[in-house]
Structures are given as structure tokens and as C-alpha cells.
Amino acid sequence: MIVVEPSFEFQDKLDAAGIAVRLEACGRICYKSEDKITEDSAVPFVKRLASYGHNSVLEMAVVTVQVDCTEQEAGRFFALQPKFLVVDQYQGGLLLTGSVRSFRELGKRCPDAGAVRAAIALLAERHPWLYEGIYEAGAAVDPAIRVRKVRLDEVESLPDELLMRHRYMGVKFIVNRAVSHELVRHRTCSFLQESQRYCNYNREKFGGQVSFVRPVFFREGSEEYRIWLAAMQEAEARYLKLLETSSPQAARTVLPNSCKTEIIVYCSLEEWRHIIRLRTPKNADPSMREIMLGAAEEFAGRYAVMGG
């Protein structure tokens, strides 16, 4: 067995990558298949998952666009009640931020709405493979509605209130499964997580061992820690024994909450502020608080508005 420390990593480097690269890098965490990433693997990987309906991967990249339109057209857009998009009135028009999934679903549901068609046309021009069957190249767009992509540096320069709503950040955590169970309760976030159903920890790339996260509750070398260690060794032995005759999804039923997992949490700064306020007080779960205090400090160092 392997005992690891909890940790976190901000995914801002992926923000500078193309959408396909970002989606693949996030999506492969589920299968721990990062070793299969090549220069031209991203688009086929994402298209395949999209065809299977694995829409959670398509939530791992957001786009911000500015829509210049009449007040009446803006009102019609608000009346659509767009799902999973952040929408604000901005400079006489609209400021929209949403994931690839949210724009795809909006395009399917409301293809004839002027602002929707104009936004999808812009996105499909940049990434046609993401909008196949949703937008037909050359389809008529109202010339009175102008849409432009807002660069990340422009989002970073928005007033604090808009910055908090439109700047999304992904953080990859290495934690135990008790902590990940709490993280996924934050409803407005998107998540991708290492899958015990697909990962076979008896394989060479896992060292033929199960990884567990060091418990914050027990001092290493104490009697409590020795009891915990023995329990994890027993769980690993039972898991590996079951793999001789069963699939990983069957064998995982004996694995405990202490198992290490990797999970990406992706949401707006506004939601991150809520998570931090909920998960860092002294009455929070100690395992959660241990990791979230460090993340909170890094957020505050990056964005002054997050320090309050």
C-alpha cells in the first residue's frame, strides 16, 4: 500500500491551452489515462466522450462572450432562462459565461433565438467539431447582433462583482474519498473524479498497490495510526484478492473512505468564496479544512477580492 499526503493544484496553465487540450487533460483523470495523451489525441477523445453523452467532461472549459444587441433582444434572451450560464447586462448588451456543455445545450434547445444563434455561430466558427449537428456553417445570423469572444485577460480586468461571477478556476485535489464526498455537494460546481470503477490498482501504472491518504486525526507512530494502517493493509489485500475473480467495479466495494482520489473542482470565484467560507472554519471537517486552508491562501494571493 502507498500512503500519500493531501494536496491541491491550480489548473491555470490549462487556461492558456486550447479548449480540446483542456477538456482532454481533465477528462482523462477519470480513467487515469494521462499516459495516452498525444499531440493529436484531444479532439478524438472529446468527440468520443460527447457521443457517449459524458457531458461532465464538456463542463470543464468555459467561454465568455459579449453580445451587443437591442434591449428587446436581451430581454428575449433572459426569457429563455438559459441553464448553467452566467448572464449579466454589460455595456448596453450582455456578458455571457458558460461551459461548452451549456452553450451546446442552449443551441439545441433554442436554435432560433437571435442572440443564441449569433453566439453559437461564433463558437462554431472557432471549434466546429464541438457544434456538429447543432449549428450549420453559413446559417443566417441577425447582422444587428454582434458577438465577440472575451479574452481571459479581459475577464481578469472586469470589476470585482463581474470578475467573481465570470472568472472560473479549476483546482485538482488529491484527497480521501470522505473529502471528495463533501466537495461534490457544492451544486453549482463541475466535477471530474478518478473512477474506482475503471481504475484497476493492481496494474503496473499504479504500482500494483492501493493508495491511501494520511489521516489528519492520528499521529504517525501512535496506536491509533497503527490500527488505521492495519485496516488499510487488510482492505488492500481483500481488494487485490477480489480482482483475481472480479472486475474493479466489484472489487472496489471493500475499499474505505481513506482511499486516495483525484478530483477536479471547477467553478466561479464567487462559488469558490462560498466553499472557502464553509470549509475553513474550525468546526469544519478537519480533513477538508486541512486542504482548503491552503487553497484559500492561494486564492487570496491571486485575487484581492477573495481575501475578505
Side-chain angles (χ1 to χ4, degrees):
M1 63 175 283
I2 302 170
V3 178
V4 302
E5 296 292 321
S7 62
F8 64 88
E9 177 186 356
F10 279 57
Q11 293 188 304
D12 45 347
K13 289 183 179 179
L14 284 179
D15 291 337
I19 280 183
V21 171
R22 179 182 179 82
L23 293 177
E24 181 187 28
C26 294
R28 287 195 179 277
I29 191 177
C30 302
Y31 315 98
K32 295 306 298 169
S33 60
E34 294 93 336
D35 56 311
K36 295 184 178 180
I37 293 177
T38 65
E39 290 185 0
D40 56 0
S41 62
V43 171
F45 175 81
V46 177
K47 288 182 69 173
R48 185 168 63 253
L49 290 187
S51 71
Y52 296 158
H54 292 180
N55 291 326
S56 57
V57 175
L58 301 180
E59 297 175 8
M60 284 290 150
V62 299
V63 180
T64 300
V65 298
Q66 182 177 352
V67 181
D68 293 328
C69 59
T70 65
E71 185 176 338
Q72 291 77 11
E73 187 62 44
R76 283 193 285 269
F77 184 84
F78 276 109
L80 297 175
Q81 298 182 328
K83 293 169 56 179
F84 311 124
L85 264 77
V86 178
V87 185
D88 281 294
Q89 293 181 319
Y90 181 67
Q91 295 183 349
L94 299 172
L95 190 66
L96 314 178
T97 296
S99 67
V100 171
R101 176 185 182 178
S102 63
F103 278 109
R104 280 167 53 96
E105 293 185 356
L106 186 62
K108 291 177 182 178
R109 187 168 65 89
C110 310
D112 298 324
V116 173
R117 176 173 290 194
I120 298 298
L122 173 71
L123 300 178
E125 180 181 350
R126 300 171 65 90
H127 305 287
W129 57 276
L130 278 173
Y131 297 92
E132 292 175 356
I134 299 172
Y135 176 79
E136 184 177 345
V141 174
D142 186 344
I145 302 175
R146 296 181 301 278
V147 182
R148 73 174 186 90
K149 182 181 182 298
V150 180
R151 301 188 313 272
L152 180 58
D153 64 295
E154 294 179 275
V155 175
E156 295 269 10
S157 299
L158 289 169
D160 285 351
E161 182 179 354
L162 292 176
L163 171 69
M164 292 292 287
R165 287 170 52 77
H166 291 270
R167 178 61 167 113
Y168 277 58
M169 180 66 73
V171 181
K172 183 177 79 170
F173 293 95
I174 295 179
V175 290
N176 66 42
R177 286 200 164 250
V179 171
S180 71
H181 294 341
E182 293 190 22
L183 284 172
V184 298
R185 293 175 61 192
H186 291 277
R187 302 293 194 271
T188 63
C189 302
S190 294
F191 307 96
L192 287 177
Q193 184 172 5
E194 176 181 342
S195 173
Q196 289 180 336
R197 181 185 178 195
Y198 291 104
C199 294
N200 183 335
Y201 298 117
N202 197 30
R203 290 182 176 170
E204 183 178 350
K205 67 179 177 180
F206 299 107
Q209 302 178 75
V210 179
S211 293
F212 302 92
V213 173
R214 174 194 54 77
V216 68
F217 303 98
F218 311 131
R219 178 179 54 82
E220 191 168 352
S222 67
E223 179 62 20
E224 293 84 357
Y225 186 86
R226 285 192 288 271
I227 292 171
W228 173 83
L229 195 64
M232 298 308 104
Q233 291 169 335
E234 178 67 14
E236 179 189 54
R238 298 294 186 184
Y239 170 80
L240 295 175
K241 182 65 177 177
L242 283 172
L243 283 178
E244 295 176 6
T245 56
S246 306
S247 65
Q249 68 179 348
R252 66 175 173 165
T253 56
V254 300
L255 292 176
N257 276 340
S258 284
C259 276
K260 163 260 180 186
T261 189
E262 297 182 22
I263 182 170
I264 298 171
V265 183
Y266 190 51
C267 60
S268 68
L269 296 184
E270 185 175 59
E271 182 61 20
W272 274 118
R273 183 169 60 183
H274 168 70
I275 293 171
I276 288 167
R277 287 175 174 174
L278 192 65
R279 302 300 185 180
T280 55
K282 291 184 178 179
N283 63 346
D285 176 350
S287 298
M288 173 70 81
R289 186 170 185 264
E290 176 186 35
I291 194 70
M292 204 57 71
L293 283 172
E297 183 177 355
E298 182 152 345
F299 268 116
R302 290 165 178 257
Y303 300 99
V305 69
M306 293 285 286

